[in-house]
Amino acid sequence: MVVSNAQGCGTSRVEEGAARTDGYHLVVDALKLNGVSTIYGLVGIPVTDLARVAQASGIRFLGFRHESAAGHAAAAAGFLTGRPGVCLTVSGPGFLNGLVSLANATTNCFPMIQIAGSSERSIIDLKRGDYEELDQFAIAQPLAKAAYRVDRAQDIGLGVARAIRTAASGRPGGVYLDIPAAVLGEVLDAEAGAASLRQVVDPAPCQLPSAPAVDRAIALLARAQRPLIVLGKGAAYAQADTAIRQFVESTGIPFLPMSMAKGLLPDDHAQSVVAARSLALHDADVVMLIGARLNWLLSHGEAPHWNPDAQFIQVEIDPTELDSNQPISAPLVGDIGSVIDALNRHESTARINAPQVWQQMLAAKSAHNVASMAARLAARTEPGKPMGFYAALRAVRDVLARHRDVYVVNEGANTLDYTRNVIDMYLPRHRLDSGTWGVMGIGLGYAIGAAIETGQPVVAIEGDSAFGFSGMEMETICRYRLPITVVVFNNGGIYKGDGVNSASTDPSPTTLMRDAHYDRLIESFGGTGYFVTTPDELGAALAASIAAGQPALIDCVIDPTDGTESGHLTSFNPAGIEKH
Ligand code: ADP
Ligand code: MG
């Protein structure tokens, strides 16, 4: 029998005599109390009942085939909604599988909570050998924003509240919450249990910049001859879209979106310098970073990519990020919404006007680069040859331009680089990709998270190698009938499909099966598979699958000789065999 507890969550159990509850129910009640409506996970000992109780209570449970994909889905949910996505894993190996996604969420500043059951502490700590024995708490600690362990059922409410607060506030990140099996099974008085729960008030409070910091930044921008705004995924995450647009447009400052900030302002916006990136970085004299780190993705702000005399303004929630690469002349510490509001309200903002010559210089360069890209995209494939990346992406671009509400997920090497450059985005937070770690394996997890959280169609554009890391989640996509189309750019290899091994009959390290039919994989789960060899076939298949709103996989045959080793990251390869 089920009764309402003090918070009205209605999952406490009534046994003989006084009402009793247990750790499983308290975890679910605590999550519900804090507005968690979906759990992404994979069950087994000791968390199977946790998923059952969650489902019975009205929380949606999405069951995956591998914990890292479940965690990536939770991380995508965190990025898209601003509330921590929740992932549930078993102990030991399941916990470790999930940890990749927790570390990835932390690196990318996405709020996420991984909850794992764990084995008996008294046995783990003396290394006596338990089922799935692992000191999970200690292992998670350095890889997450924080790790917490609940040692008594009466502390479950506290543990969940701490996890939510830590994941969402300040710089968002991944939090590990360890709940030993014994705590999940602990029985206690229902009234005391209900009273132990906590609702987190304002999980990510606004953080306002100081007035002198705002004055300093405005003064610097006002003096700039060649100002540039770099929008990062922190700016997309902040959901301050209107304020950011107002600031950019009222100042006329050219802006460069990082890959997951594409669409925050549309890529075809007159002030976008996405097509004149090198010139913008190289020549800008004052650069305003909004939710973007000066890490490897921005060449650490260093010459020759950047103007060595450039001065930086950084809008950032985490003060320890400042000066991590270049000196920051005007730090603006606070949440992006509050900072941009303060800038918009400042009396001198109306007088900032990016100089016309600079705007014209960038516009001319953009026009030139757009024209050369158009020529590359228009090039026809030689008869008898498989299509290359550009020919395939031309077809994808034409379809997606008609479906601007589609969420795009993207991973691979060449597939990532080419797609990012070719596919324009028009709406905020509609592009999710390999991100700060350049990680492979996020694809289907992110796609599932995006489909569940938004209810919109998702197109995942995957290299054939990248697809392999989470390919079994095609079954998950089909089981839940999600409106996801996976496009596999199948060039038969990692980077390229023409790797050679001259020493033996084994395939080269970069070789994958050239004739793999990934479309048949989805057919075995009842989804729709397409096998395409021309841009026209690809465009038709993509249009049909988006319209159908059902699981689909398009195996797109790509020229195995197209692309480059390491994509655009060749410089990260140490001098080695390829270079001699
Ligand atoms: P990109 O890879 O797109 O350049 P990064 O992930 O490097 O973006 O940078 C995102 C930055 O945004 C991080 O330093 C993070 O601390 C910051 N950030 C995230 N959310 C907010 C927010 N609401 N307000 C201010 N800064 C934020
Ligand atoms: Mg490939």
Side-chain angles (χ1 to χ4, degrees):
M1 176 180 176
V2 168
V3 293
S4 272
N5 61 17
Q7 273 71 30
C9 293
T11 56
S12 295
R13 293 184 314 183
V14 173
E15 291 173 349
E16 288 297 298
R20 315 280 280 169
T21 187
D22 59 25
Y24 293 109
H25 288 80
L26 284 173
V27 173
V28 170
D29 289 350
L31 292 172
K32 281 199 84 170
L33 181 62
N34 285 285
V36 173
S37 56
T38 306
I39 296 175
Y40 301 90
L42 205 169
V43 299
I45 296 171
V47 299
T48 312
D49 275 346
L50 189 52
R52 286 202 189 99
V53 172
Q55 199 169 51
S57 82
I59 287 182
R60 194 157 187 209
F61 179 80
L62 271 287
F64 284 70
R65 304 306 299 267
H66 192 285
E67 291 87 347
S68 74
H72 291 318
F79 170 69
L80 292 169
T81 67
R83 297 186 303 275
V86 176
C87 167
L88 179 67
T89 68
V90 301
S91 46
F95 153 80
L96 280 177
N97 284 344
L99 206 49
V100 170
S101 60
L102 193 72
N104 182 58
T106 305
T107 306
N108 283 285
C109 314
F110 301 158
M112 169 189 164
I113 299 169
Q114 180 181 350
I115 300 176
S118 58
S119 314
E120 195 60 50
R121 288 234 52 82
S122 59
I123 299 180
I124 295 175
D125 289 351
L126 283 170
K127 300 200 171 58
R128 295 170 58 199
D130 201 359
Y131 169 73
E132 297 194 339
E133 176 181 294
L134 195 69
D135 189 358
Q136 298 171 193
F137 175 70
I139 290 166
Q141 200 95 256
L143 296 170
K145 183 176 177 187
Y148 303 115
R149 181 166 56 223
V150 177
D151 288 319
R152 308 179 299 182
Q154 70 197 69
D155 294 332
I156 285 173
L158 173 59
V160 169
R162 294 241 332 113
I164 289 171
R165 171 73 72 194
T166 303
S169 62
R171 170 182 279 179
V175 173
Y176 175 58
L177 187 60
D178 191 285
I179 312 188
V183 176
L184 287 171
E186 200 180 319
V187 173
L188 70 170
D189 175 73
E191 217 170 294
S196 72
L197 302 183
R198 301 175 177 209
Q199 190 169 22
V200 180
V201 177
D202 193 8
C206 290
Q207 298 184 34
L208 275 62
S210 74
V214 176
D215 291 344
R216 192 188 295 121
I218 296 276
L220 187 53
L221 272 183
R223 287 200 302 273
Q225 291 307 301
R226 296 181 304 282
L228 174 69
I229 290 175
V230 177
L231 297 171
K233 59 180 164 319
Y237 173 78
Q239 300 199 15
D241 311 341
T242 311
I244 290 173
R245 188 172 188 140
Q246 184 190 329
F247 182 72
V248 169
E249 291 182 344
S250 72
T251 58
I253 300 174
F255 71 92
L256 175 72
M258 300 298 288
S259 69
M260 282 181 63
K262 277 164 71 79
L264 181 47
L265 278 83
D267 275 336
D268 58 358
H269 192 284
Q271 287 168 252
S272 169
V273 293
V274 72
R277 186 178 195 272
S278 305
L279 178 67
L281 301 191
H282 190 265
D283 280 24
D285 64 349
V286 174
V287 180
M288 182 174 193
L289 301 161
I290 306 182
R293 287 170 282 186
L294 273 180
N295 56 18
W296 66 280
L297 286 159
L298 284 171
S299 313
H300 306 283
E302 285 168 357
H305 304 281
W306 291 77
N307 171 3
D309 299 322
Q311 287 189 284
F312 290 92
I313 301 167
Q314 187 157 21
V315 182
E316 172 58 54
I317 203 151
D318 179 0
T320 68
E321 178 62 33
L322 305 165
D323 301 303
S324 56
N325 283 282
Q326 299 304 314
I328 302 301
S329 307
L332 271 172
V333 175
D335 73 279
I336 287 165
S338 300
V339 173
I340 305 297
D341 279 346
L343 294 170
N344 282 335
R345 276 199 309 270
H346 196 279
E347 54 180 11
S348 304
T349 300
R351 291 198 291 277
I352 298 177
N353 260 317
Q356 286 287 326
V357 284
W358 171 234
Q359 295 186 42
Q360 284 157 2
M361 191 173 144
L362 290 167
K365 183 71 178 170
S366 284
H368 175 266
N369 288 349
V370 165
S372 18
M373 174 64 90
R376 276 199 292 276
L377 286 168
R380 294 288 145 188
T381 309
E382 277 174 43
K385 271 192 83 177
M387 65 184 138
F389 284 101
Y390 280 125
L393 281 166
R394 181 182 68 224
V396 173
R397 178 203 60 181
D398 290 347
V399 175
L400 292 184
R402 300 196 298 272
H403 295 279
R404 298 185 172 195
D405 55 347
V406 162
Y407 282 78
V408 174
V409 173
N410 188 200
E411 63 175 334
N414 292 295
T415 301
L416 178 71
D417 295 332
Y418 288 120
T419 303
R420 184 180 53 236
N421 290 346
V422 172
I423 304 296
D424 281 345
M425 303 304 300
Y426 303 95
L427 294 171
R429 293 171 295 284
H430 274 55
R431 183 185 153 86
L432 296 96
D433 65 28
S434 302
T436 306
W437 252 5
V439 70
M440 297 300 125
I442 46 89
L444 303 201
Y446 277 9
I448 293 169
I452 293 290
E453 298 295 328
T454 70
Q456 295 294 311
V458 179
V459 172
I461 304 172
E462 303 270 313
D464 52 344
S465 162
F467 172 75
F469 290 79
S470 64
M472 195 60 191
E473 302 304 336
M474 289 313 304
E475 192 273 338
T476 311
I477 291 171
C478 291
R479 187 162 20 102
Y480 290 97
R481 308 294 316 157
L482 298 174
I484 296 174
T485 303
V486 177
V487 181
V488 178
F489 277 177
N490 184 0
N491 66 353
I494 300 172
Y495 310 127
K496 299 166 73 174
D498 59 354
V500 176
N501 170 17
S502 42
S504 74
T505 54
D506 278 344
S508 85
T510 55
T511 299
L512 297 171
M513 281 186 73
R514 174 83 197 117
D515 299 322
H517 263 271
Y518 295 103
D519 50 307
R520 293 184 190 151
L521 194 75
I522 191 174
E523 285 169 359
S524 71
F525 304 125
T528 306
Y530 298 89
F531 180 75
V532 304
T533 58
T534 66
D536 287 347
E537 289 172 3
L538 173 55
L542 185 58
S545 65
I546 293 173
Q550 294 293 325
L553 188 150
I554 304 173
D555 183 323
C556 175
V557 178
I558 298 279
D559 183 349
T561 67
D562 200 9
T564 49
E565 169 130 354
S566 306
H568 289 188
L569 304 182
T570 316
S571 63
F572 285 91
N573 284 329
I577 194 162
E578 289 291 330
K579 308 218 168 130
H580 294 298

